[in-house]
């Protein structure tokens, strides 16, 4: 494998990382918003969120990506490949994140919420001050797990020509007639990425670990 | 005696009239009326399922009664003038702030320290100055004997300590009325005394309290009025001496036999 080939793999890694991070940064709060709609049983929007989650969970990322990239222009929305890639990962991961947040919310202590209400706390204030500081801690392991799945499934965006790691590795393999080295390097990069996320999770848990336990 | 008469003439802090509440065809409260005058301690007794908790939940409108009214210092809770329009959340919150609730299972917020639990609502709901509230909270902790637990998390406290924090948290709102729902029922027997002691001193200091309890000793010694509920109705109320010494109704006699001997 040449140095240039290695560079293009690194470039692919950069694309994978940035597209994944964008998907996470958008998908985690979007999932929370969906979860809150369902948890609060907001009329109209809650059932819509439920339908959204079932649809997105049963659509493969590749299919979703093609759909976004080729179908949106048909209804007059122009979208470049990179944006389509981010949109795919965001919409997909949001559905799974919604389920994670929602189960955290459903298991949240009703007693604590009731205490907040009797002390005159509004719904938003209760969420901000009482629920969320505990919720993110309980949801973090599952969210990070979903993040690692997202990184690995991000290779689906290659289908619309985005040069992420795996696509870069395949291309180098095809040019050199020696597919093994680039594939091994690509695998190594995925492993490092996932380990970094898991490490960050461990670190966060250590620093903000105090969730108090039952009161 | 004259003391009680003066208290009774004072404006009622809490005035419950004709509260009815039904849960899927089950009548849980059946026309309950009750007043608590300023400075009074009223103990609410009754067997399990008689509707005591539901009544307290109607007082701070966590549960919406089907009929009847609740007045806090003359102001109607839950319904706007005329009694047809439900109150908005903000208005409801402003009334709820004037009542402090102490829960059977403490319901402390586990991610906040003892001090943070106490100052949470005064700072973020009442929007009072943080340094002022902290000073008050420290004084309250001193009063309930937990000054050294200021920065501990609730999970590190015993049940009795948690409940004393629960009481301090309620007091920090400077409420006009304190509601207690079986504050000692979840405690190990040897921890009941420390919580009862705090409640007694509050009562003696002139707090207005409505206390659901099974602690007959506390009711007998501290209450200005004892109320017995059964099947969603008030079956007897009176001053403790009369209630415990010479109950008027057969139902009260049965109840006392079971609970006082137990
Ligand atoms: N949200 C609810 N939905 C249906 N039934 C309820 C609800 N809340 C209370 N009940 C019923 O109302 C009745 C009175 O309950 P409540 O909790 O007020 O009794 P209590 O006097 O506080 O009893 P305890 O001493 O056990 O606490 C019970 O039969 C209970 O099952
Ligand atoms: Mg009860």
């Amino acid at each position: 494998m040449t140095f240039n080939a290695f560079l293009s793999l690194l470039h692919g890694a950069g694309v994978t990382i940035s597209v994944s991070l964008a998907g996470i940064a958008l998908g985690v709060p979007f999932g929370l918003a969906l979860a809150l709609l369902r948890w609060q049983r907001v009329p109209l929007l809650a059932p819509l969120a439920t339908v959204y989650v079932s649809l997105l969970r049963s659509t493969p990322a590749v299919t979703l990506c093609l759909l976004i990239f080729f179908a949106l222009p048909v209804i007059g929305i122009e979208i470049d490949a990179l944006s389509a890639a981010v949109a795919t990962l965001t919409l997909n991961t949001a559905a799974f994140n919604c389920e994670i947040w929602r189960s955290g919310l459903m298991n949240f202590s009703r007693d604590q919420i009731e205490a907040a209400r009797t002390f005159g706390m509004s719904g938003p204030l209760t969420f901000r001050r009482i629920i969320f500081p505990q919720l993110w801690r309980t949801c973090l392991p599952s969210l990070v797990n979903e993040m690692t799945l997202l990184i690995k499934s991000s290779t689906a965006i290659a289908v619309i020509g985005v040069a992420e790691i795996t696509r870069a590795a395949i291309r180098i393999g095809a040019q050199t007639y020696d597919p093994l080295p680039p594939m091994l390097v690509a695998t190594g990069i995925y492993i490092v990425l996932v380990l970094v996320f898991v490490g960050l999770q461990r670190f966060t848990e250590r620093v903000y670990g105090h969730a108090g336990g039952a009161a | 005696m004259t003391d009680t008469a003066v208290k009774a003439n004072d404006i009622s802090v809490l005035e419950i009239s004709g509260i009815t509440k039904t849960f899927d065809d089950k009548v849980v409260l059946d026309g309950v009326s009750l007043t608590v005058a300023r400075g009074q301690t009223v103990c609410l007794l009754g067997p399990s399922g008689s509707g005591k908790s539901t009544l307290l939940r109607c007082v701070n409108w966590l549960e919406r009664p089907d009929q009847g009214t609740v007045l806090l210092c003359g102001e109607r809770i839950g319904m706007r003038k005329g009694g047809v329009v439900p109150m908005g959340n903000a208005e409801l919150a402003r009334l709820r702030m004037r009542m402090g609730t102490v829960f059977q299972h403490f319901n402390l917020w586990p991610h906040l320290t003892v001090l943070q639990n106490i100052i949470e609502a005064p700072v973020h709901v009442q929007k009072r100055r943080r340094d002022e509230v902290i000073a008050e909270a420290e004084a309250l902790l001193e009063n309930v004997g937990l000054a050294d637990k200021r920065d501990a998390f609730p999970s590190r406290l015993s049940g009795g300590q948690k409940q004393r924090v629960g009481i301090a948290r309620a007091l920090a709102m400077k409420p006009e009325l304190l509601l207690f729902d079986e504050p000692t029922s979840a405690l190990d027997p040897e921890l009941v005394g420390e919580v009862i002691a705090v409640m007694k001193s509050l009562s003696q200091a002139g707090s207005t309290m409505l206390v659901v309890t099974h602690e007959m000793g506390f009711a007998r010694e501290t209450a200005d009025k004892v109320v017995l509920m059964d099947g969603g109705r008030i079956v007897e109320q009176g001053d403790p001496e009369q209630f415990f010494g010479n109950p008027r109704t057969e139902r009260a006699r049965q109840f006392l036999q079971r609970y006082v001997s137990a």
Side-chain angles (χ1 to χ4, degrees):
Chain A
M1 217 171 72
T2 64
F3 182 66
N4 266 348
F6 186 71
L7 276 189
S8 75
L9 262 182
L10 275 191
H11 180 261
V15 170
T16 295
I17 292 171
S18 36
V19 170
S20 297
L21 284 182
I24 289 166
L26 296 170
V28 170
F30 184 32
L32 178 58
L34 291 170
L36 284 172
L37 291 177
R38 295 180 67 184
W39 185 59
Q40 288 285 297
R41 302 215 177 81
V42 179
L44 261 57
L45 295 178
L48 274 180
T50 310
V51 171
Y52 174 87
V53 169
S54 341
L55 278 181
L56 268 288
R57 283 213 296 181
S58 47
T59 309
V62 178
T63 319
L64 180 65
C65 194
L66 289 169
L67 207 60
I68 290 172
F69 191 57
F70 292 110
L72 282 188
V74 174
I75 57 167
I77 303 170
E78 287 306 323
I79 190 162
D80 62 276
L82 219 50
S83 309
V86 172
T88 302
L89 298 181
T90 302
L91 296 179
N92 175 273
T93 198
F96 292 93
N97 288 331
C98 169
E99 293 305 280
I100 295 167
W101 288 119
R102 196 168 77 97
S103 103
L105 285 167
M106 308 258 275
N107 291 323
F108 194 84
S109 154
R110 303 197 65 77
D111 282 350
Q112 285 187 45
I113 296 174
E114 188 158 305
R117 268 218 286 170
T118 61
F119 283 91
M121 294 176 78
S122 67
L125 186 67
T126 304
F127 181 75
R128 195 159 55 80
R129 300 281 316 165
I130 305 298
I131 301 176
F132 189 70
Q134 299 178 64
L135 184 69
W136 76 259
R137 287 180 174 98
T138 46
C139 291
L140 189 67
S142 308
L143 289 172
V144 170
N145 184 47
E146 167 57 23
M147 290 171 199
T148 62
L149 292 178
L150 176 143
I151 293 169
K152 287 180 279 179
S153 68
S154 69
T155 186
I157 62 178
V159 74
I160 54 170
V162 177
E164 47 68 66
I165 305 179
T166 305
R167 188 182 164 95
I170 291 172
R171 206 172 45 204
I172 296 160
Q175 283 162 358
T176 57
Y177 300 103
D178 188 6
L180 196 58
M183 277 304 160
L184 285 177
V185 175
T187 309
I189 293 173
Y190 280 119
I191 291 174
V192 169
L193 282 182
V194 168
L195 285 180
V196 165
F197 269 81
V198 174
L200 280 177
Q201 177 203 337
R202 298 252 163 82
F203 176 76
T204 316
E205 276 173 352
R206 238 199 349 265
V207 174
Y208 299 97
H210 199 287
Chain B
M1 276 296 147
T2 45
D3 197 1
T4 326
V6 170
K7 279 181 180 173
N9 286 339
D10 205 347
I11 182 185
S12 294
V13 171
L14 179 67
E15 193 171 336
I16 302 171
S17 322
I19 291 285
T20 307
K21 179 72 189 173
T22 310
F23 287 118
D24 3 87
D25 295 345
K26 186 177 188 301
V27 181
V28 173
L29 293 176
D30 189 7
V32 176
S33 300
L34 176 67
T35 57
V36 183
R38 190 169 299 286
Q40 264 193 337
T41 296
V42 174
C43 282
L44 191 54
L45 315 178
S48 182
S50 54
K52 309 179 297 291
S53 297
T54 307
L55 184 63
L56 285 198
R57 292 168 58 81
C58 285
V59 168
N60 50 30
W61 220 253
L62 288 175
E63 213 72 77
R64 205 181 140 166
D66 303 331
Q67 275 173 42
T69 57
V70 179
L71 304 183
L72 179 71
C73 301
E75 268 187 76
R76 181 143 180 204
I77 296 173
M79 293 294 191
R80 305 274 296 279
K81 292 167 187 76
V84 268
V85 191
M87 220 172 228
N89 286 334
E91 215 175 337
L92 206 48
R94 238 178 298 121
L95 282 165
R96 281 181 180 146
M97 280 192 301
R98 294 165 57 189
M99 302 181 260
T101 304
V102 176
F103 303 88
Q104 179 174 355
H105 298 286
F106 329 122
N107 299 12
L108 299 179
W109 298 304
H111 63 302
L112 302 178
T113 63
V114 164
L115 185 80
Q116 289 168 338
N117 263 278
I118 296 172
I119 68 170
E120 180 66 23
V123 170
H124 294 280
V125 180
Q126 294 180 324
K127 308 255 186 245
R128 282 156 54 198
R129 284 191 43 179
R130 194 183 178 85
D131 48 355
E132 232 169 70
V133 175
I134 289 179
E136 284 171 21
E138 283 168 344
L140 284 170
L141 280 174
E142 192 81 51
N143 287 346
V144 298
L146 291 173
D148 57 325
K149 300 293 182 197
R150 181 187 187 276
D151 297 314
F153 283 94
S155 55
R156 291 302 169 94
L157 305 182
S158 72
Q161 292 172 331
K162 281 180 195 169
Q163 196 57 297
R164 286 184 281 152
V165 174
I167 293 172
R169 178 175 68 167
L171 291 172
M173 307 282 289
K174 304 190 178 188
E176 285 154 281
L177 171 68
L178 284 167
L179 302 170
F180 294 80
D181 192 355
E182 303 198 29
T184 57
S185 295
L187 299 179
D188 292 335
E190 74 270 21
L191 301 178
V192 169
E194 62 192 58
V195 172
I196 291 290
V198 170
M199 291 169 63
K200 267 189 190 159
S201 71
L202 283 176
S203 174
Q204 274 151 15
S207 301
T208 310
M209 299 162 53
L210 177 57
V211 185
V212 174
T213 186
H214 292 296
E215 289 297 316
M216 297 301 151
F218 173 79
R220 188 173 217 152
E221 287 164 42
T222 319
D224 296 289
K225 179 160 80 176
V226 175
V227 178
L228 175 66
M229 279 185 71
D230 190 25
R233 290 165 186 257
I234 292 178
V235 289
E236 177 159 345
Q237 52 179 308
D239 67 76
E241 209 169 315
Q242 177 260 314
F243 179 85
F244 287 102
N246 185 23
R248 284 190 299 262
T249 59
E250 181 55 29
R251 188 67 196 87
R253 238 163 294 174
Q254 286 169 358
F255 176 82
L256 287 173
Q257 253 166 25
R258 187 138 47 90
Y259 278 86
V260 175
S261 56

